[in-house]
Amino acid sequence: MSYGENLTYLWRRAGVYVGRVLRGEKGLPIEQGEKFELVINLQTARVLNLSIPSGLLAIADEVIE
């Protein structure tokens, strides 16, 4: 199970931020994550003999069968 920032979105935001730095903007704010995702790996859960509640599976952004 993993809960973290969406990497595609993170790299896109990093590119925008680097562009602002290269244009010479001053006083840039520290950016925090905005878009997070929950990924559940059912294969690993089965190997570890873990049961994942159906409610958690329902809200997961991605479920690896």
Side-chain angles (χ1 to χ4, degrees):
M1 195 175 328
S2 168
Y3 183 71
E5 233 181 315
N6 179 308
L7 291 179
T8 304
Y9 182 77
L10 179 67
W11 285 111
R12 187 173 297 131
R13 291 297 311 147
V16 170
Y17 199 84
V18 168
R20 292 173 66 186
V21 170
L22 293 175
R23 282 192 299 274
E25 287 189 37
K26 301 292 182 196
L28 293 172
I30 296 173
E31 294 192 7
Q32 292 184 337
E34 297 175 8
K35 191 172 183 180
F36 293 85
E37 64 183 4
L38 173 64
V39 179
I40 299 174
N41 188 330
L42 287 179
Q43 289 178 337
T44 302
R46 283 188 200 106
V47 168
L48 296 173
N49 201 23
L50 299 173
S51 61
I52 307 296
S54 59
L56 193 58
L57 292 173
I59 64 169
D61 296 298
E62 182 180 350
V63 177
I64 300 170
E65 297 288 334

